Amino acid sequence: MKRFIWPVGVLVALLITNVIHTHTFFSIELRDGHLYGSIVDILRASAPLALVALGMTLVIATGGIDLSVGAVVAIAGALACLHISGLGDQGSVTGVLVAVGLAIGLSLVLGAWNGFLVATIGIQPIIATLILMVAGRGLAQLITDGQIITVNSGPYKMIGAGYWLGLPLCVLIAGAVVALAAVLVRRSALGMLLEAVGGNAEASRLAGIKSRWLILAVYVFAAVCAGIAGLMISSNVSSADGNNAGLLIELDAILAVVLGGTSLSGGRFSIVGTVLGAVIIKTLDITIYTIGVPPEVTLLFKAIVVIVLCLAQSPKFRAMFQRQRPVTAAVPADEKVQVRA
């Protein structure tokens, strides 16, 4: 739990800053059976990023990286909105379910493509996923024909902006996926196998671990998580923008993973830490607007906060400010007597 001290401390500091500027920041209202408030807004905004970062965590745990998740977000939203826009009745639940299935299915195929390039062909992960990052964004624009597709579907709107049991449905979906992933990797040997592959791929292969299938699986999982996030983002605004949807979300996802304490070199990882990192990033975004940071320095302010947190988490950096006390060896009593003699 010590590795979460600094991230939790920064999150608390951000929340306190918001309270100072907005005294009703922690206020939560119940209207029409739905919960509203700044905290609820943070959780809602964190849901898509948490999903993308979750998939990124497992990919990084194997020693890889996935730069294509932003493109997959755009593709999933574009395909779903394209299908819904062609329905005679956009309020059809069946039609929306088909659109969701098509989007997630295509995301799965794209993830399998990434996994094939990395695990089977042997292309470096950053290059393999960079291919889809560029081509995927173009594919999303081809799907939308370079236009913003707008839909008017109540059932589809539920995914990103709807409520269930008083809570935002997107938060419940993200929580369910995170919980399922946590059970799979922590209640079985899967997590240990992923860490073994990420720690030393060659040693794990010699130990009999089928690393190729594990690597393929994590890229598929990352793409599916990105696809679900794309559905949330597009349904929240009832439109699909192939050019801007999910833009740079891969960088925020990697940042959330790092803030959560997972090493980019692979091996040990933390799902809880990743979710915490995603919440920190979205809380920071809201804090920037709350305290009135000028738009022209927003990214610089965000970078400074992230750098401070990363430095605070670094044992080597903290050791630079710790005084080195001289170590004095204890001398046994009998030796003291001999010296006096």
Side-chain angles (χ1 to χ4, degrees):
M1 295 300 293
K2 289 184 178 180
R3 57 182 169 178
F4 297 143
I5 292 178
W6 287 105
V8 170
V10 169
L11 179 60
V12 171
L14 291 174
L15 294 175
I16 292 175
T17 302
N18 281 279
V19 171
I20 293 175
H21 286 79
T22 307
H23 300 297
T24 59
F25 182 77
F26 282 115
S27 299
I28 297 179
E29 299 180 5
L30 181 63
R31 298 198 303 265
D32 298 328
H34 302 160
L35 295 176
Y36 293 92
S38 298
I39 298 298
V40 178
D41 292 339
I42 290 175
L43 294 177
R44 184 206 298 273
S46 302
L49 178 57
L51 279 177
V52 176
L54 172 64
M56 187 72 73
T57 300
L58 300 188
V59 170
I60 290 177
T62 62
I65 199 78
D66 191 347
L67 300 180
S68 67
V69 288
V72 175
V73 166
I75 291 171
L79 182 58
C81 287
L82 177 65
H83 180 79
I84 293 173
S85 65
L87 295 175
D89 178 15
Q90 294 191 12
S92 170
V93 176
T94 302
V96 170
L97 290 177
V98 172
V100 170
L102 290 173
I104 294 179
L106 181 56
S107 300
L108 190 151
V109 172
L110 296 175
W113 168 254
N114 282 336
F116 171 75
L117 292 181
V118 175
T120 303
I121 305 300
I123 300 178
Q124 289 293 326
I126 192 171
I127 302 300
T129 57
L130 183 62
I131 295 172
L132 184 57
M133 176 185 177
V134 177
R137 187 66 62 176
L139 177 60
Q141 294 189 52
L142 283 175
I143 293 174
T144 61
D145 197 22
Q147 305 296 320
I148 297 178
I149 299 178
T150 303
V151 297
N152 184 20
S153 174
Y156 188 63
K157 184 79 172 177
M158 279 288 295
I159 299 175
Y163 281 79
W164 190 56
L165 299 177
L167 294 173
L169 182 59
C170 61
V171 175
L172 296 176
I173 293 174
V177 176
V178 169
L180 177 62
V183 170
L184 289 177
V185 301
R186 294 308 181 194
R187 297 297 180 181
S188 69
L190 180 59
M192 182 182 64
L193 296 177
L194 293 176
E195 291 177 349
V197 172
N200 192 322
E202 182 62 20
S204 62
R205 185 187 67 81
L206 294 176
I209 299 175
K210 296 181 179 180
S211 58
R212 181 175 301 177
W213 290 104
L214 283 175
I215 293 173
L216 177 64
V218 295
Y219 279 97
V220 169
F221 179 74
V224 170
C225 286
I228 298 174
L231 295 175
M232 290 180 179
I233 293 173
S234 62
S235 67
N236 189 39
V237 294
S238 295
S239 63
D241 185 351
N243 187 42
N244 295 311
L247 190 64
L248 299 182
I249 195 173
E250 60 272 4
L251 301 184
D252 278 345
I254 295 172
L255 182 57
V257 173
V258 174
L259 293 180
T262 298
S263 173
L264 289 178
S265 60
R268 296 186 63 83
F269 63 94
S270 172
I271 291 179
V272 175
T274 294
V275 174
L276 179 60
V279 173
I280 289 175
I281 292 174
K282 289 305 176 181
T283 304
L284 179 57
D285 289 341
I286 290 178
T287 303
I288 288 173
Y289 293 108
T290 300
I291 65 179
V293 175
E296 58 270 17
V297 297
T298 295
L299 294 177
L300 180 60
F301 178 83
K302 184 176 180 179
I304 291 174
V305 174
V306 170
I307 289 173
V308 170
L309 176 55
C310 290
L311 291 177
Q313 286 182 290
S314 172
K316 292 184 179 180
F317 183 80
R318 294 199 305 268
M320 294 171 57
F321 295 92
Q322 294 178 352
R323 296 181 179 178
Q324 298 294 332
R325 298 181 179 180
V327 180
T328 304
V331 181
D334 55 346
E335 292 186 7
K336 292 181 180 180
V337 174
Q338 294 176 2
V339 171
R340 290 177 183 174

